[in-house]
Amino acid sequence: MNRRPTLLAALALTATAALTLSACGSDDDTPAKDKDTIAGADTGDKKSPSPTPSVSDPASGGRPKITFPADAKNVFEYEKTGDAAKDAALLDSTLSINSVDEAIFKGSTDTEALGFYNANRALSASITFVNGYLKKNHTWVGETRYFDYEVKLSGANAAYVTYCSDESKSFLKNRKTGKVDNTPTTADSYVLYHTKLAKNADGVWQTTDIASDRGSKTCQP
């Protein structure tokens, strides 16, 4: 199904090539799959038990709590890389995703987590994306799966993370009527994401740029 059309419109798709080239030119070529415990979500980590799907697990003091409704969750499938910087970037990447969805569920872009885990063009795109949902009185239900993660570091404060999403089990829901749009699964249910992250002064890996390719064959089963 197609539950993120607004996001695609908000993103600068030309950034995909730039992000890919930057990642390929980074100083670290070791891929990693997925992340650890995430806010407001479930996890496919084979090495750790699943956290409560509706509540975030702030890894350190001062991090905002992210909550999801009972009828929606994100699932992140991954294994830790063993590299502290990579694993931190991967975890904060998942929290960035959750922060955007939390804003949709709360019906507001003025949430603490949205600006905490996103910055620059990624924050602007996320706000546009969330507002697209709100203008149409949309939210979503079901499960979105994120998988095939790869992370590359560029110096001490930059990272590039690519991953796929499977939206075949998540559906748009009208916020007022409660009607769920049970759309069929198509190639467009699968999306390839290219993201750039920067570590800020507080040690948070914020997503600063993002581009996506809906229907990518890379992500299709």
Side-chain angles (χ1 to χ4, degrees):
M1 73 129 247
N2 225 355
R3 84 164 173 86
R4 292 185 181 276
T6 309
L7 180 59
L8 292 180
L11 299 179
L13 296 182
T14 54
T16 305
L19 290 174
T20 304
L21 288 173
S22 297
C24 291
S26 69
D27 60 359
D28 194 323
D29 295 324
T30 305
K33 288 192 175 182
D34 299 332
K35 316 162 187 20
D36 21 84
T37 311
I38 39 258
D42 200 357
T43 176
D45 190 341
K46 296 179 181 179
K47 297 181 179 180
S48 305
S50 298
T52 303
S54 61
V55 182
S56 66
D57 180 17
S60 60
R63 287 187 172 237
K65 179 180 179 180
I66 298 176
T67 59
F68 272 29
D71 59 359
K73 67 177 179 178
N74 289 329
V75 175
F76 301 93
E77 297 177 349
Y78 70 96
E79 292 180 359
K80 291 183 179 181
T81 69
D83 181 289
K86 286 183 177 181
D87 289 340
L90 286 169
L91 176 57
D92 283 348
S93 174
T94 66
L95 296 173
S96 167
I97 294 169
N98 286 337
S99 71
V100 174
D101 284 326
E102 182 195 44
I104 293 171
F105 299 137
K106 290 190 173 182
S108 172
T109 58
D110 189 26
T111 60
E112 184 180 1
L114 191 62
F116 190 90
Y117 291 108
N118 302 278
N120 302 337
R121 284 183 291 185
L123 178 58
S124 298
S126 296
I127 291 173
T128 300
F129 171 48
V130 173
N131 281 332
Y133 266 76
L134 303 187
K135 288 178 182 177
K136 295 181 179 180
N137 290 314
H138 282 162
T139 182
W140 66 270
V141 297
E143 174 184 301
T144 304
R145 183 171 68 97
Y146 294 88
F147 60 101
D148 280 357
Y149 276 88
E150 292 189 2
V151 57
K152 299 176 186 293
L153 300 178
S154 180
N157 298 312
Y160 297 89
V161 179
T162 63
Y163 54 89
C164 293
S165 73
D166 172 2
E167 300 175 1
S168 62
K169 295 181 180 179
S170 58
F171 307 94
L172 291 172
K173 177 181 177 181
N174 187 286
R175 195 181 297 272
K176 289 186 176 181
T177 66
K179 182 180 178 181
V180 176
D181 185 8
N182 290 299
T183 50
T185 299
T186 68
D188 283 345
S189 302
Y190 303 91
V191 189
L192 174 65
Y193 289 93
H194 298 267
T195 65
K196 180 180 180 180
L197 290 79
K199 186 167 69 171
N200 67 15
D202 296 321
V204 178
W205 286 90
Q206 294 180 304
T207 297
T208 59
D209 211 342
I210 180 170
S212 59
D213 179 14
R214 182 171 291 280
S216 171
K217 292 183 179 180
T218 299
C219 299
Q220 293 178 39

